[in-house]
């Protein structure tokens, strides 16, 4: 495989600080050396590459925006660049890191007691404890407000009953952030930290996936699972899980650009060397049009993510800004993967090339953390003032 040549048409490097470039290049190097050589086999075997966890931790990627508790305390822009590079390798690896940081460490850091933070954040930063985030249920995906999982308050304990579905990292997690309704509080939604091994809490991995195969996806099952009230997070209502999703969706917007950049690099290299009708296919106008569209979208999406990162660092990013970037960048990445597959012809359907794996992965990325259409509706409500979800 040719060395990776990251497209940077609008000189976005010149807009990054030397620290941001150093972080980006460190992760880029890690992905080239440690992820790309092994990831396709993991994908084929339906296996998560667990052996990478210590190195990911050593590079400060877990909970990287959190201050203290052994976390790196990086800017959101740096975090975004990390996500971009990881997803160039594989969406499953980016998923793993974003669930650990944005969906598990973030709520503990934001809504946790000091005791919870001290107990969970340092081992999570070191990669010694892995988290998962249970919001979706078998019958409530886009509409998590309808969830039926309950946490009954009995004395100084909560008893959780219900199922969470499609949960990244579920089967390998040491703890789950679980969102449930508390009947004793008018069915208000609360978040709980449930440790692996707690009686009544089991998991079941979901196999036969054609997407995110190098990532663990599981069902979480709670049957009279009793936890002390000290495991409850201090936030009430859907704004709890949604505020975690803001961070994760932001990271996905960058990650998707990384996957698109990987596909574009592959399409360009292939088209310059594949000869048909006595010349490289890159010399045909129709192929050039496809490459130009990919190149233009990548450039626009890089700028969108960077500006979103700057807004987030300034505390000015809104959920609607994040929805636009997640919706647009993942949709464009998926198009880039499909077009790359097309440019590679029959070769594009084999594991010799990355585009098929990225294409399959991006189908999940387009669905999770709010489907493309849910983000379209969030923006529709923003511009018209009329919610159209129901
Ligand atoms: P709605 O009535 O609009 O809001 C309920 C409450 O939440 C507040 N809120 C937010 N707060 C912070 N950030 C946001 N982005 C927020 N969005 C809403 C809102 O202000 C309100 O607060 P309050 O105090 O008034 O109660 O909620 P709704 O039930 O009408 O739903 C709206 C809708 C459809 C947009 C929302 O439910 C939605 O986003 N659905 C998509 C579900 C989703 O994204 N699920 C993701 C599951 S986790 C996952 O996929 C992980 S994948 C991990 C990986 O591998 O990377
Ligand atoms: P549905 O909500 O049933 O949607 C099906 C279709 O209907 C979609 O096209 C959708 O856009 C459309 N639709 C729904 N409502 C409307 C509407 N009002 N208007 C127009 N169209 C609508 N969840 C977690 O909690 N934690 C995780 O770690 C996690 N990891 C995941 C990993 C993978 C690999 C996958 C695939 C999913 C994961 N999810 C996770 C679940 C994910 O968040 C949900 O799949 C997603 O929110 C969509 O829910 P659903 O699959 O039930 O689809």
């Amino acid at each position: 495989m040719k060395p990776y040549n990251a497209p940077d048409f609008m000189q976005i490097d010149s807009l990054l600080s030397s620290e941001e470039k150093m972080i980006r290049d460190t992760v880029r190097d890690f992905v080239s050396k440690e992820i790309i050589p092994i990831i396709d086999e993991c994908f084929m075997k339906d296996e998560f590459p667990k052996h990478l966890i210590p190195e990911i931790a050593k590079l400060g990627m877990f909970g990287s925006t959190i201050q203290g508790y052994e976390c790196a305390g990086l800017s959101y822009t740096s975090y975004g660049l990390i996500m971009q590079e990881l997803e160039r390798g594989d969406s499953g690896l980016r998923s793993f890191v974003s669930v650990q940081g944005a969906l598990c460490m973030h709520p503990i850091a934001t809504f946790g007691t000091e005791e919870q933070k001290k107990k969970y954040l340092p081992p999570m930063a070191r990669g010694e404890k892995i988290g998962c985030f249970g919001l979706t249920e078998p019958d409530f995906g886009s509409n998590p407000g309808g969830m039926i999982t309950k946490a009954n308050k009995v004395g100084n304990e909560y008893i959780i009953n219900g199922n969470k579905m499609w949960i990244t990292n579920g089967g390998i997690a040491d703890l789950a952030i679980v969102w449930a309704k508390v009947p004793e509080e008018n069915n208000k939604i609360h978040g709980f930290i449930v440790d692996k091994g707690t009686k009544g809490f089991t998991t079941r991995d979901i196999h036969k996936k054609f997407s995110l195969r190098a990532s663990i996806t599981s069902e979480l099952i709670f049957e009279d699972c009793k936890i002390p009230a000290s495991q409850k997070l201090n936030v009430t209502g859907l704004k709890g899980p949604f505020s975690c999703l803001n961070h994760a969706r932001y990271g996905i917007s960058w990650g998707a650009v990384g996957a698109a950049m990987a596909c574009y690099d592959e399409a360009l290299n292939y088209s310059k060397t594949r000869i048909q009708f006595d010349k490289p296919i890159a010399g045909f106008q129709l192929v050039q049009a496809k490459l130009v569209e990919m190149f233009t979208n990548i450039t626009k999406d890089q700028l969108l993510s960077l500006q979103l990162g700057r807004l987030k660092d300034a505390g000015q990013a809104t959920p609607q800004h994040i929805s636009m970037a997640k919706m647009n960048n993942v949709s464009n990445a998926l198009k880039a993967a499909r077009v790359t597959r097309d440019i590679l012809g029959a070769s594009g359907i084999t594991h010799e090339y990355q585009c098929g794996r990225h294409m399959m992965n991006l189908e999940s990325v387009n669905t999770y953390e709010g489907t493309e259409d849910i983000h379209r509706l969030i923006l529709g409500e923003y511009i018209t003032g009329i919610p159209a979800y129901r």
Side-chain angles (χ1 to χ4, degrees):
M1 193 194 282
K2 272 196 157 189
Y4 174 56
N5 187 14
D8 182 18
F9 184 58
M10 284 290 170
Q11 300 176 20
I12 288 165
D13 259 28
S14 68
L15 303 174
L16 301 176
S17 69
S18 49
E19 188 194 58
E20 287 163 348
K21 280 189 276 200
M22 188 266 290
I23 291 165
R24 193 260 327 264
D25 292 344
T26 305
V27 181
R28 184 170 289 176
D29 203 43
F30 167 72
V31 168
S32 295
K33 289 194 180 124
E34 307 292 341
I35 297 184
I36 290 183
I38 57 127
I39 199 64
D40 195 63
E41 200 172 334
C42 294
F43 185 95
M44 281 199 282
K45 288 187 177 161
D46 203 5
E47 244 172 45
F48 171 72
K50 245 180 154 177
H51 70 277
L52 295 175
I53 297 175
E55 189 61 18
I56 294 174
K58 210 167 115 199
L59 291 173
M61 289 193 244
F62 292 135
S64 58
T65 57
I66 296 170
Q67 301 284 344
Y69 305 96
E70 299 184 31
C71 300
L74 302 179
S75 68
Y76 278 102
T77 304
S78 297
Y79 167 68
L81 288 161
I82 292 173
M83 296 293 119
Q84 173 186 284
E85 295 309 315
L86 281 177
E87 198 148 355
R88 171 174 79 92
D90 191 80
S91 303
L93 259 295
R94 196 270 309 134
S95 265
F96 174 72
V97 175
S98 61
V99 168
Q100 174 84 342
L103 295 183
C104 296
M105 296 172 76
H106 165 78
I108 295 172
T110 312
F111 309 122
T113 60
E114 197 48 40
E115 205 183 359
Q116 290 167 347
K117 290 183 209 181
K118 283 190 182 141
K119 177 176 172 190
Y120 291 106
L121 294 178
M124 291 180 86
R126 294 194 296 267
E128 292 162 9
K129 273 189 191 291
I130 299 304
C132 69
F133 177 90
L135 178 65
T136 305
E137 298 187 355
D139 294 328
F140 296 94
S142 297
N143 177 24
M147 71 174 68
I148 51 179
T149 297
K150 298 258 181 292
N152 282 95
K153 189 162 190 331
V154 180
N156 212 20
E157 288 176 329
Y158 286 89
I159 303 173
I160 307 181
N161 278 289
N163 289 41
K164 296 290 175 180
M165 194 64 180
W166 306 113
I167 307 304
T168 300
N169 298 349
I172 51 165
D174 301 288
L175 61 118
I177 305 290
V178 182
W179 301 94
K181 285 182 175 164
V182 177
E184 293 72 20
E185 284 183 36
N186 218 5
N187 276 330
K188 291 226 166 81
I189 292 170
H190 285 273
F192 301 89
I193 311 171
V194 184
D195 290 318
K196 179 182 182 169
T198 307
K199 196 162 168 255
F201 170 34
T202 51
T203 65
R204 188 161 43 216
D205 289 349
I206 299 166
H207 295 289
K208 298 190 180 171
K209 295 180 294 176
F210 61 65
S211 175
L212 285 187
R213 290 174 55 82
S215 162
I216 307 286
T217 314
S218 318
E219 181 176 6
L220 312 183
I221 302 145
F222 299 93
E223 292 166 312
D224 289 332
C225 173
K226 220 181 266 180
I227 54 164
S230 57
Q231 293 298 95
K232 187 163 84 69
L233 294 169
N234 189 22
V235 64
T236 308
L238 271 178
K239 63 178 181 297
F242 286 163
S243 64
C244 306
L245 294 180
N246 291 337
H247 290 295
R249 290 167 175 175
Y250 163 73
I252 290 172
S253 85
W254 279 92
V257 183
M261 285 160 74
C263 291
Y264 170 75
D265 187 52
E266 186 162 82
L268 184 62
N269 287 334
Y270 185 90
S271 63
K272 289 203 287 198
T273 53
R274 173 71 179 165
I275 310 291
Q276 286 297 291
F277 300 97
D278 306 320
K279 66 176 191 182
I281 59 169
F284 296 114
Q285 290 181 2
L286 286 172
V287 175
Q288 287 191 3
K290 289 170 189 170
L291 291 169
V292 168
E293 183 164 359
M294 259 196 267
F295 183 55
T296 307
N297 280 339
I298 286 168
T299 304
K300 290 192 287 190
D301 298 351
Q302 286 170 331
L303 287 164
L304 182 58
S305 279
L306 180 61
Q307 172 61 2
L308 181 60
R310 297 300 186 217
L311 287 176
K312 204 155 162 58
D313 280 324
Q316 290 172 17
T318 64
Q320 292 81 10
H321 288 136
I322 294 168
S323 281
M324 180 183 281
K326 196 272 182 185
M327 173 190 75
N328 176 77
N329 292 9
V330 179
S331 173
N332 281 341
L334 192 47
K335 281 182 212 149
R338 289 172 181 157
V339 168
T340 301
R341 213 293 308 146
D342 165 44
I343 290 175
L344 268 64
S347 300
I349 71 153
T350 71
H351 282 268
E352 288 293 300
Y353 295 91
Q354 316 167 54
C355 58
R357 178 169 48 81
H358 280 300
M359 182 173 73
M360 289 306 177
N361 284 341
L362 288 161
E363 291 290 347
S364 285
V365 181
N366 208 37
T367 285
Y368 67 35
E369 304 258 10
T371 66
E372 185 177 337
D373 279 342
I374 287 296
H375 291 294
R376 200 161 272 125
L377 292 174
I378 290 171
L379 288 163
E381 178 180 3
Y382 173 73
I383 58 179
T384 65
I386 307 167
Y389 314 106
R390 292 179 169 80

